Amino acid sequence: MRRVGVAGALAKTSADVPAMGGDGRQIALPRSDLDQLRASIRGLVLLPGNEGYEQARKVWNGSFDRRPAIIVRCAGAADVIETVRFAAAHGPLLAVRAGGHSMSGQSVCEGGLMLDLSMMRGVRIDPLQQVAYVQPGSLLGEFDREAQSFGLATTAGTVSHTGVAGLTLGGGFGRLSRSYGLTCDNLRSVDVIPASGKFTVANARENPELFWGVRGGGGNFGVVTSFEYQLRPTRSMMVGGALIYPFSQARELLKFYADFARAAPDELWIEPAIVPTSDGSREVVFSVCYSGEPSDAEAALRPLRAFRKPNKDHVGPARYIDLQTSSDEVFAYGRCYYVKQGFLERIQPELVDVVVEHIERTQPALVVGFLHLGGAQSRVAAAATAFPHRNAQHGILLASIWSDRSESAARIDTARSSWRVIEPYVRGFYVNDVTADHTQQTISENYGSNFARLLALKRKYDPHNLFRLNANVPPNG
Ligand code: FAD
């Protein structure tokens, strides 16, 4: 209560606003400059105690209960320019929030400035050119729905309330990436506001090096205020759903899957996960999407169905946008999450043995899933965009999900010790799954041979590391 009282008073006084600097030092944001910022934007400047502040600071991962000193809710690119200039002039710790799905809570910061793009939600489809113009606060489900109403789509992630912006800037894979490549491979152009506050267009003709960097380099170089995507004709009815097997078959199924998935056509996306069930046991759930001719789906899945008959077979004709929302509840907004992920060039039988044995022995309250990558996204050269992990045919991911924050330490501890068993097998990680456990050296090395180019871009577009809450490329190398 006291906290709210003090915050409320601060919102009303003319005192300077104490804030956390990007370098960790305490700073004061001059009230007159804040008032000027408020007067110059169409959106909202919220301080603790202001109406809407409590709602605006919430992000997808309920583990992060952080209180920014200021939240600027931008209504358009002009607001972003003003806010970036304000941040560059005064140096608060800056968090950029789009869909708010950062696994590690990087889109909200304690005591800093949260630049909130979630009011910028426009999606415009040009069906003749098969192009989409998407504002950065848009969610994948909004983008999918607009594009599908014209029989179009591009690669999106597998949970529809994820943000388009963060996903694209880190790479972006999902049900269609084996056919269409990563989301960032389908990007045609972006508008970016770098640390200078200067509106900058980046595409194959204008600022091509920056365009290269935003495709996998995350939010390191500035705030993207518009995304332009190439869309593709995409059927609305596909074949998809889940095949469910008993956990007792996990070893043989996952070893079979390793070869089956490798030989699968690009149109087949199939991801197995070992999932705890409500009766305290586990099952193996294969999520399926076949995006090619529906009549070919049966043949594509036949080897798996013939290998072991599933307990439950829920695979059949399904609308693409329904498949895209089918995992939304499992990863509902506001619960607590801890996720670890790594890439795999192949699923070695030894890894399967290690994972299944670990689960049998320790019974961790975790979901362990394999990503199905490869296909078109692997036929792009590692240096063609900043996303370097083109050889990865799979990823492995573990997720702990809970609701009571008092369980957080124990949950994270369990997930970390389970990850220690898996970690020796992975080669790099997805920048969008960066965690506080990753050291700066690991993050820099994860960009592989693309790091030197990213560093040069960082020095040009963000020399003082204003945009540091990401898989950071520090300008000092
Ligand atoms: P936010 O939390 O808003 O932003 C994350 C970070 O991105 C920010 O900290 C900032 O550094 C940067 N950023 C965001 N917007 C901008 C911008 N406009 N300009 C500059 N920088 C910006 N990824 C996949 O590829 N495929 C999946 O299938 C997939 N599934 C997921 C499912 C769930 C439930 C979740 C939580 C995540 C999933 N992800 C997936 C990971 C996802 O790509 C990242 O969490 C991504 O960061 C989400 O974007 P956002 O805009 O919602 O995030």
Side-chain angles (χ1 to χ4, degrees):
M1 281 305 289
R2 193 167 169 276
R3 210 173 176 190
V4 173
V6 171
L10 191 62
K12 290 188 191 106
T13 65
S14 57
D16 292 347
V17 172
M20 170 74 76
D23 58 4
R25 276 183 293 194
Q26 201 63 32
I27 58 171
L29 300 171
R31 175 65 64 157
S32 55
D33 291 0
L34 262 180
D35 289 343
Q36 202 181 331
L37 176 67
R38 185 177 271 126
S40 63
I41 66 170
R42 283 195 295 133
L44 299 164
V45 174
L46 302 177
L47 302 186
N50 284 154
E51 191 182 344
Y53 171 88
E54 292 300 325
Q55 187 57 32
R57 74 185 179 87
K58 288 192 180 132
V59 288
W60 168 80
N61 191 342
S63 296
F64 298 100
D65 182 26
R66 292 178 179 156
R67 303 181 68 80
I70 318 172
I71 301 174
V72 184
R73 305 204 67 200
C74 296
D79 288 3
V80 176
I81 291 171
E82 293 295 337
T83 309
V84 167
R85 286 186 176 154
F86 175 88
H90 297 292
L93 181 63
L94 177 67
V96 177
R97 186 230 202 262
H101 271 49
S102 164
M103 299 277 187
S104 52
Q106 289 187 313
S107 39
V108 61
C109 53
E110 186 64 41
L113 191 161
M114 182 183 192
L115 189 161
D116 177 6
L117 300 160
S118 63
M119 297 202 303
M120 295 171 64
R121 285 289 252 276
V123 177
R124 184 173 84 79
I125 308 294
D126 176 343
L128 293 180
Q129 300 299 323
Q130 303 187 340
V131 167
Y133 302 88
V134 182
Q135 285 193 305
S138 308
L139 306 183
L140 295 178
E142 296 161 349
F143 184 14
D144 276 340
R145 196 166 277 275
E146 292 295 326
Q148 274 283 274
S149 67
F150 298 98
L152 301 168
T154 190
T155 300
T158 53
V159 173
S160 81
H161 46 73
T162 309
V164 169
L167 179 127
T168 304
L169 296 172
F173 39 78
R175 292 181 175 87
L176 301 179
S177 49
R178 290 174 44 76
S179 293
Y180 294 175
L182 298 175
T183 312
C184 73
D185 297 334
N186 293 281
L187 200 57
R188 288 162 50 108
S189 188
V190 285
D191 298 344
V192 191
I193 315 301
S196 63
K198 185 171 176 285
F199 179 85
T200 307
V201 174
N203 54 39
R205 295 166 308 283
E206 286 183 74
N207 301 302
E209 188 65 7
L210 179 59
F211 185 51
W212 174 87
V214 298
R215 290 176 290 161
N220 263 294
F221 312 110
V223 182
V224 175
T225 56
S226 178
F227 294 83
E228 181 183 325
Y229 298 91
Q230 183 66 57
L231 302 175
R232 314 204 190 196
T234 303
R235 65 183 70 252
S236 63
M237 284 305 291
M238 298 186 178
V239 172
L243 300 171
I244 303 174
Y245 294 86
F247 177 61
S248 58
Q249 295 180 359
R251 264 192 192 81
E252 61 212 57
L253 276 167
L254 291 175
K255 287 179 188 174
F256 176 83
Y257 169 78
D259 295 329
F260 171 71
R262 229 182 154 72
D266 290 354
E267 294 82 3
L268 180 62
W269 170 93
I270 177 161
E271 295 195 337
I274 300 172
V275 180
T277 53
S278 50
D279 63 0
S281 61
R282 274 157 222 283
E283 56 195 12
V284 183
V285 179
F286 284 82
S287 301
V288 175
C289 176
Y290 187 82
S291 55
E293 274 297 326
S295 54
D296 296 339
E298 166 64 28
L301 287 167
R302 195 174 300 132
L304 177 60
R305 281 180 167 133
F307 178 69
R308 291 288 177 273
K309 189 174 166 355
N311 273 359
K312 293 179 197 148
D313 189 332
H314 298 307
V315 173
R319 288 197 314 160
Y320 174 61
I321 52 174
D322 291 339
L323 292 172
Q324 285 290 81
T325 54
S326 57
S327 302
D328 284 11
E329 278 304 306
V330 178
F331 295 102
Y333 212 93
R335 296 171 76 193
C336 298
Y337 298 87
Y338 184 82
V339 174
K340 300 287 280 186
Q341 181 275 352
F343 287 121
L344 303 166
E345 282 181 23
R346 59 182 313 128
I347 300 174
Q348 297 171 24
E350 189 188 327
L351 170 62
V352 172
D353 287 332
V354 162
V355 167
V356 176
E357 190 276 331
H358 177 76
I359 292 174
E360 285 168 342
R361 189 167 43 80
T362 66
Q363 304 284 321
L366 294 169
V367 174
V368 180
F370 289 89
L371 306 175
H372 195 190
L373 308 174
Q377 70 204 12
S378 291
R379 294 193 285 271
V380 175
T385 68
F387 181 92
H389 303 284
R390 300 291 181 170
N391 283 341
Q393 298 294 313
H394 293 279
I396 183 165
L397 179 141
L398 65 79
S400 184
I401 308 174
W402 67 102
S403 298
D404 179 353
R405 278 203 194 118
S406 68
E407 292 176 20
S408 297
R411 291 283 192 153
I412 292 171
D413 206 43
T414 302
R416 280 191 180 135
S417 49
S418 296
W419 186 250
R420 276 195 285 277
V421 172
I422 294 170
E423 198 168 20
Y425 297 89
V426 306
R427 295 285 171 270
F429 63 92
Y430 186 26
V431 289
N432 283 353
D433 293 331
V434 67
T435 69
D437 302 340
H438 290 112
T439 62
Q440 183 55 58
Q441 189 184 343
T442 324
I443 294 170
S444 299
E445 285 172 3
N446 188 51
Y447 288 110
S449 54
N450 287 339
F451 183 72
R453 278 173 81 178
L454 289 166
L455 183 58
L457 276 171
K458 186 73 175 179
R459 287 176 175 158
K460 180 170 179 188
Y461 289 101
D462 185 23
H464 303 297
N465 211 6
L466 183 62
F467 307 107
R468 66 178 67 210
L469 292 180
N470 43 47
N472 197 227
V473 177
N476 58 11

